[in-house]
Amino acid sequence: MAPGGGASCKELVESWPNFTRFDTKKTQVEKSITCIGEKFQRCSIHGVHELLECPICKRSMYPPFYQCPNGHTLCTNCKNGAHNCCPTCQVELGNIRCLALEKVAESLELPCRYQNVGCHKILPYYRKLKHERRCKFRPYQCPYAGSECSIKGDISTLVLHLMEDHKVDMHTGCTFNHRYVRSNAQEVENAIWMLTVFDCYGRQFILHFEAFSLGMTPVYMAFLRFMGEDNEAKMFNYSLEIGGFGRKLTWQGVPRSIRDSHRKVRDCEDGLIVPRSLAIFFSGGNGEELTLKVVGRIWKVHSTS
């Protein structure tokens, strides 16, 4: 045995209890840190979310996160547009990944941003944005056609907005009978005529009627949109009829959700389309003033399941 070997072994054995006590204290410290961390996460979730917001574009960041040598973070899009210069401190950016912040984001579960209007889902950070793009509680865009209206809101907000700001006609009932008059039947170039809102079954429906050119053919088109989600819109059917002087054209369909833009519905030709030549017949055939009568009905589809 080497000189002093026994003493070294003895020292190691005698020191073992101390090591054990130290390890126990370390575990308790780690538990305390974990507890504090969990408390911090619960109390400061909004602050952490702000930390994960790109300071340049103010949008939530998704990997890869970048930072400058001074620690200023930014998202991929803003980095690509920054020409390798930190927008915050003007130093050269390089390609430094902020891996720590990416790990923080990966560990988080956050409420949907539309929590205050009814969505109660708690989602992993990296799934949150995808959910919010499709969340049924996200605000609707103003459905008024032919304008660049930027107003967004829930259905009740938009109904009030349509009445007060766009002066839209509001009707109660599930049947309607409208006349559309135009002094010059030859003018159809992107002429949006009218938008009417109907309150039916406690829900709101929008009737569009307009003139435009479909390819080289001047046409008139009528279609219905539903103020709500697509799965709710499918609970209803509607019919439209245009006629006069012994002629009649009918259409039956499902109203489209206002999640689909007015232009998208129009471009899909999902509605009653009347070529100008036929519309002139309906109107009396003089080719001057155009008068079209549109009769419609909305009804609820009863499920057979």
Side-chain angles (χ1 to χ4, degrees):
M1 180 178 292
S8 297
C9 182
K10 183 178 179 182
E11 288 173 3
L12 180 63
V13 171
E14 287 177 348
S15 67
W16 179 252
N18 294 331
F19 178 79
T20 304
R21 285 194 298 272
F22 175 77
D23 188 60
T24 302
K25 289 178 182 178
K26 184 178 179 181
T27 303
Q28 290 171 346
V29 170
E30 288 175 341
K31 286 180 179 179
S32 298
I33 291 172
T34 302
C35 182
I36 292 169
E38 290 174 351
K39 185 177 180 181
F40 173 80
Q41 187 178 35
R42 288 195 301 270
C43 299
S44 306
I45 204 74
H46 180 68
V48 174
H49 189 266
E50 285 185 345
L51 188 65
L52 296 171
E53 185 181 83
C54 175
I56 311 305
C57 66
K58 303 301 181 183
R59 295 176 182 172
S60 296
M61 293 192 291
Y62 285 81
F65 297 175
Y66 289 97
Q67 66 179 30
C68 77
N70 291 326
H72 300 121
T73 56
L74 70 167
C75 69
T76 305
N77 289 337
C78 290
K79 178 185 180 297
N80 293 337
H83 306 293
N84 203 35
C85 180
C86 175
T88 304
C89 67
Q90 311 305 312
V91 303
E92 185 177 340
L93 271 172
N95 287 294
I96 307 171
R97 288 278 293 276
C98 188
L99 298 177
L101 200 55
E102 289 181 17
K103 284 291 185 182
V104 169
E106 188 177 352
S107 69
L108 289 178
E109 288 192 339
L110 299 171
C112 172
R113 67 184 297 183
Y114 305 118
Q115 183 183 47
N116 63 331
V117 290
C119 184
H120 301 300
K121 289 192 174 182
I122 306 295
L123 303 136
Y125 180 82
Y126 291 137
R127 285 175 48 199
K128 181 173 175 285
L129 183 62
K130 183 178 179 181
H131 162 78
E132 288 172 351
R133 286 173 181 159
R134 305 296 301 171
C135 179
K136 68 178 184 178
F137 293 98
R138 71 191 189 279
Y140 296 91
Q141 184 71 47
C142 172
Y144 192 80
S147 71
E148 299 299 326
C149 185
S150 60
I151 296 296
K152 293 182 179 181
D154 58 18
I155 299 302
S156 58
T157 299
L158 290 183
V159 169
L160 187 63
H161 164 67
L162 288 170
M163 286 191 300
E164 294 185 349
D165 298 326
H166 294 297
K167 310 302 179 185
V168 168
D169 289 335
M170 311 291 292
H171 296 270
T172 301
C174 299
T175 60
F176 48 90
N177 188 332
H178 282 277
R179 286 200 329 151
Y180 296 94
V181 180
R182 193 166 186 82
S183 59
N184 187 348
Q186 305 304 315
E187 293 181 359
V188 296
E189 288 298 323
N190 299 317
I192 296 168
W193 284 14
M194 190 175 291
L195 180 148
T196 309
V197 177
F198 298 93
D199 193 311
C200 174
Y201 296 105
R203 307 305 299 268
Q204 288 73 41
F205 300 81
I206 300 173
L207 175 66
H208 294 268
F209 192 90
E210 62 182 273
F212 62 100
S213 291
L214 188 59
M216 300 297 293
T217 306
V219 299
Y220 303 95
M221 184 175 181
F223 57 90
L224 205 69
R225 293 165 77 200
F226 174 74
M227 296 189 74
E229 295 298 305
D230 184 62
N231 64 322
E232 299 174 298
K234 291 175 181 176
M235 297 166 54
F236 300 93
N237 279 170
Y238 74 100
S239 64
L240 297 173
E241 178 183 299
I242 294 180
F245 297 90
R247 300 169 180 85
K248 182 191 299 182
L249 194 62
T250 61
W251 163 269
Q252 180 174 320
V254 179
R256 297 282 287 267
S257 165
I258 59 171
R259 294 289 188 201
D260 289 337
S261 69
H262 151 266
R263 184 173 292 278
K264 179 178 179 180
V265 180
R266 193 185 78 176
D267 291 348
C268 288
E269 302 176 26
D270 192 2
L272 176 62
I273 299 176
V274 186
R276 182 173 63 187
S277 56
L278 186 56
I280 290 173
F281 277 121
F282 290 155
S283 187
N286 61 19
E288 296 176 1
E289 182 180 86
L290 185 73
T291 302
L292 291 176
K293 180 181 177 183
V294 180
V295 177
R297 182 170 72 93
I298 303 167
W299 66 93
K300 202 165 188 177
V301 178
H302 297 287
S303 175
T304 57
S305 59

